[in-house]
Amino acid sequence: MRISKIGLSVALALGLSMSAQAADVEVLHYWTSGGEAKSVAELKKMLEEKGHGWKDFAVAGGGGESAMTVLKSRVVSGNPPAAAQIKGPSIQEWGEEGVLANIDSVAKAEGWDALLPSVVSDVMKYNGEYVAVPVNVHRVNWMWANPEVFRKAGATVPTTWDEFFVAADKIKAAGMTAVAHGGQPWQDATTFESVVLGVGGAEFYNQAFVKLDPEAIKSPTMIKALNTFRKIKAYTDEGAPGRDWNLATAMVIKGEAGMQFMGDWAKGEFTAAGKKPGADYICAAAPGTSNAYTFNIDSFVMFDLDNKELEEGQNDLASTILSPEFQEVFNLNKGSVPARLNLSMSKFDDCAKLSSVDFVSSSIDKTLVPSMAHGMSTFSAVQGAISDAVTEFYNNDSVTAEAAADKMVNAIAAAQ
């Protein structure tokens, strides 16, 4: 991601005058799907009510890779947008480039430190000061289950990994697929991190995926997690390799499979199919993780612009994003929960209410951990190194758990 600081300073000197001419607050984002687009429209409306114009800069692509490519070219050319959707450790990378605006004055005036769990606010800061504002919280360590499949198989929804394999055996014996899975690296990593959290707990998870401790990664606990993860493959179907996540969710919706391990964006598929939580489907923490929470958070950073009028607009945008009104409407549309603590959940469904309760309790218990699979716990190069090792292990039975752990350690060292 390194941007030449000399080149950047020259480009900024030449280019900022262009962005200074416009009073509109230009916002780069990759929210282009139905519910997301509705939320963007609401954010635009709220900002305009504060007297600012909105210049929409939407770049399609759910993961944001295309948006980041466009953003880098804009910053290097000296014409950054006023705000951009950036998350996780990438915020720190941009902070190191010296191109982000400091929004600490807004944060202090509104008491953000008291409104956000420290593990969340820390991600939003660079050198101890706010440069980003969180929009939402996605819980990643969900297990989605079809109760009818469980009834037909005479199985019980599992709360531990031992119980999971008992239930999976019964579902398989009844002629159904126990686990709907999409064999793509990011989906492998999503399931794997839930296994690690369930087997090792939050403290171990932090040692392995946040601190990247080689001893933790090579430990018997990680070996057990790897072997547990691989064992899940026997309960998937032959069509799993390459399957998109939403098609795996559809298998659970249709009763073709019993369970799926996926973040709370999967809930949107159930909702779109007219299914009701508790009746048509069950949302439960992945086995062994009911007292912990892996989070994936969308957020916006503000870029340093030499324009006082735009600076006021940036501050009002940041304030609006964390306002109770926007936090509610956005997360109702997105399927996630508010990042802001102590917000009323009366309009949310039972899955979101459970997610919110667990978000708050895990932040108190210090079992709220950043998702490795979704770029919250470490830089993208390290995340990719871990994911590659995990996927190779999952798909190649000749690779032992010990060898996979060693490869993770070596790959992480090479990527740092």
Side-chain angles (χ1 to χ4, degrees), residues 35-282:
E36 294 169 340
K38 284 171 58 180
S39 297
V40 169
E42 189 66 26
L43 183 58
K44 174 185 177 182
K45 176 184 174 184
M46 290 180 178
L47 188 66
E48 288 175 343
E49 287 173 351
K50 293 188 175 183
H52 305 287
W54 172 286
K55 185 177 181 181
D56 199 61
F57 187 4
V59 181
E65 292 84 1
S66 298
M68 291 307 97
T69 300
V70 173
L71 177 62
K72 288 171 188 175
S73 67
R74 284 283 302 269
V75 174
V76 169
S77 71
N79 186 31
Q85 185 182 352
I86 300 174
K87 69 176 189 176
S90 293
I91 294 170
Q92 307 304 310
E93 290 183 308
W94 284 103
E96 289 172 2
E97 298 298 335
V99 296
L100 299 185
N102 186 318
I103 55 174
D104 215 45
S105 60
V106 179
K108 286 180 177 177
E110 299 184 354
W112 287 8
D113 279 349
L115 296 176
L116 301 171
S118 60
V119 71
V120 175
S121 61
D122 287 348
V123 177
M124 303 299 137
K125 295 177 180 179
Y126 177 70
N127 283 344
E129 297 183 319
Y130 282 94
V131 294
V133 55
V135 182
N136 62 347
V137 177
H138 281 295
R139 187 179 197 171
V140 180
N141 61 312
W142 277 120
M143 179 179 70
W144 307 92
N146 185 309
E148 184 60 26
V149 171
F150 277 81
R151 280 194 290 270
K152 288 179 179 178
T156 302
V157 176
T159 59
T160 67
W161 284 109
D162 286 342
E163 291 177 1
F164 165 81
F165 290 112
V166 171
D169 279 332
K170 289 182 177 181
I171 294 171
K172 188 174 182 180
M176 295 173 285
T177 299
V179 179
H181 183 63
Q184 298 171 343
W186 75 269
Q187 294 188 64
D188 294 339
T190 296
T191 299
F192 178 64
E193 73 175 17
S194 286
V195 175
V196 172
L197 185 61
V199 170
E203 186 175 347
F204 174 79
Y205 181 101
N206 272 317
Q207 285 295 120
F209 292 151
V210 179
K211 296 181 181 178
L212 304 174
D213 178 5
E215 294 305 311
I217 296 173
K218 293 192 294 184
S219 70
T221 301
M222 182 62 78
I223 301 305
K224 181 179 180 181
L226 282 161
N227 284 324
T228 300
F229 170 62
R230 175 183 273 167
K231 192 176 175 183
I232 294 172
K233 184 169 63 173
Y235 301 98
T236 63
D237 69 310
E238 293 181 354
R243 177 186 288 136
D244 288 338
W245 71 269
N246 57 311
L247 298 181
T249 306
M251 292 174 65
V252 180
I253 292 172
K254 296 174 184 177
E256 296 170 359
M259 297 167 275
Q260 181 190 23
F261 300 105
M262 188 53 61
D264 55 19
W265 47 91
K267 186 176 66 175
E269 299 298 307
F270 288 95
T271 302
K275 304 301 182 182
K276 302 296 183 184
D280 304 311
Y281 68 95
I282 295 168

Side-chain angles (χ1 to χ4, degrees), residues 386-408:
I386 296 172
S387 182
D388 288 346
V390 167
T391 289
E392 181 186 7
F393 170 74
Y394 184 77
N395 291 307
N396 187 347
D397 290 343
S398 68
V399 179
T400 65
E402 290 79 6
D406 286 339
K407 181 166 185 176
M408 267 196 278

Side-chain angles (χ1 to χ4, degrees), residues 180-382:
H181 183 63
Q184 298 171 343
W186 75 269
Q187 294 188 64
D188 294 339
T190 296
T191 299
F192 178 64
E193 73 175 17
S194 286
V195 175
V196 172
L197 185 61
V199 170
E203 186 175 347
F204 174 79
Y205 181 101
N206 272 317
Q207 285 295 120
F209 292 151
V210 179
K211 296 181 181 178
L212 304 174
D213 178 5
E215 294 305 311
I217 296 173
K218 293 192 294 184
S219 70
T221 301
M222 182 62 78
I223 301 305
K224 181 179 180 181
L226 282 161
N227 284 324
T228 300
F229 170 62
R230 175 183 273 167
K231 192 176 175 183
I232 294 172
K233 184 169 63 173
Y235 301 98
T236 63
D237 69 310
E238 293 181 354
R243 177 186 288 136
D244 288 338
W245 71 269
N246 57 311
L247 298 181
T249 306
M251 292 174 65
V252 180
I253 292 172
K254 296 174 184 177
E256 296 170 359
M259 297 167 275
Q260 181 190 23
F261 300 105
M262 188 53 61
D264 55 19
W265 47 91
K267 186 176 66 175
E269 299 298 307
F270 288 95
T271 302
K275 304 301 182 182
K276 302 296 183 184
D280 304 311
Y281 68 95
I282 295 168
C283 51
T289 71
S290 61
N291 295 320
Y293 193 114
T294 44
F295 66 82
N296 180 24
I297 296 176
D298 291 310
S299 54
F300 278 91
V301 302
M302 308 298 158
F303 280 90
D304 190 13
L305 304 175
D306 188 19
N307 183 318
K308 293 299 180 184
E309 185 179 352
L310 279 177
E311 183 179 318
E312 183 181 346
Q314 289 173 314
N315 288 339
D316 281 345
L317 176 61
S319 176
T320 302
I321 287 171
L322 203 59
S323 69
E325 296 79 14
F326 182 71
Q327 288 276 310
E328 180 180 84
V329 70
F330 177 86
N331 288 288
L332 282 169
N333 288 334
K334 188 77 158 55
S336 44
V337 299
R340 182 180 175 126
L341 294 172
N342 302 320
L343 197 64
S344 171
M345 296 293 292
S346 60
K347 294 182 181 178
F348 289 80
D349 63 37
D350 289 346
C351 293
K353 288 175 181 176
L354 175 60
S355 181
S356 181
V357 168
D358 288 351
F359 174 58
V360 173
S361 62
S362 62
S363 69
I364 295 170
D365 297 339
K366 301 190 183 304
T367 56
L368 182 64
V369 295
S371 170
M372 174 276 295
H374 296 271
M376 295 301 301
S377 74
T378 188
F379 298 112
S380 58
V382 173

